[in-house]
Amino acid sequence: MKRIQSGFTLLELVIVIGVIGVLVGISGLGAFVASQQRSRDARRKADIETFRQALELYRSTNGRYPVYTGSTVSGALYNALTAGAGGPYLNTTSYPRDPQTTKNYYYYSVGVAATYNICALLERPGAGEPACAAPADDCNSVGTTSCNYGQTQP
């Protein structure tokens, strides 16, 4: 009598599981990258708020904001906020830096430092986000990408 066997071979099961794994991996990778971008953007917004608070402390002590016609926050603004008159307003070890090393925050004071703009380049800007109001900005150290998020005071 002939014996009839039904079912799948081990090789067929391994191939199907592999294909399913690849499909899940591809769809999960996009979600993972998007969540990392959203996380870095949240950090940028928090850093801008940290700068805003430090700049307000600077202004309450000195009667004006630091005067700069436009620069990244790593130069003269760093000196003003970490070692400036009446400071420090920010700790040098926790000074906000963009989570990606190829991007910068941008600071621009207006007039006699009566107001300022501080800006960042978000990877996933949302609708209704406040735009950078600086007249010329460069948030990308490897190119000339304009900032797309900013805070203006007052």
Side-chain angles (χ1 to χ4, degrees):
M1 177 172 219
K2 215 176 191 187
R3 187 171 162 185
I4 300 175
Q5 293 183 358
S6 63
F8 298 104
T9 66
L10 182 60
L11 181 60
E12 291 170 325
L13 289 174
V14 168
I15 290 173
V16 169
I17 290 171
V19 168
I20 290 172
V22 167
L23 292 175
V24 168
I26 289 172
S27 66
L29 182 63
F32 177 71
V33 169
S35 70
Q36 284 186 320
Q37 290 172 333
R38 283 191 299 273
S39 174
R40 287 190 296 264
D41 284 349
R43 165 84 186 275
R44 289 178 181 106
K45 291 176 184 179
D47 286 351
I48 294 293
E49 177 60 21
T50 300
F51 279 120
R52 189 195 67 73
Q53 291 173 0
L55 288 163
E56 291 304 319
L57 287 172
Y58 184 97
R59 181 174 124 346
S60 68
T61 302
N62 298 294
R64 63 174 176 78
Y65 297 110
V67 179
Y68 300 107
T69 56
S71 69
T72 62
V73 297
S74 59
L77 185 64
Y78 174 86
N79 294 333
L81 295 179
T82 59
Y89 305 96
L90 285 175
N91 188 330
T92 57
T93 58
S94 61
Y95 191 79
R97 289 176 175 80
D98 193 278
Q100 290 184 308
T101 57
T102 59
K103 293 183 172 66
N104 300 306
Y105 297 125
Y106 186 84
Y107 175 77
Y108 178 84
S109 61
V110 180
V112 196
T115 185
Y116 68 86
N117 300 300
I118 188 150
C119 306
L121 177 62
L122 300 182
E123 295 174 74
R124 298 176 68 87
E129 298 280 8
C132 181
D137 59 54
D138 181 10
C139 280
N140 192 347
S141 63
V142 296
T144 54
T145 304
S146 292
C147 306
N148 57 13
Y149 176 82
Q151 293 291 324
T152 301
Q153 284 302 109

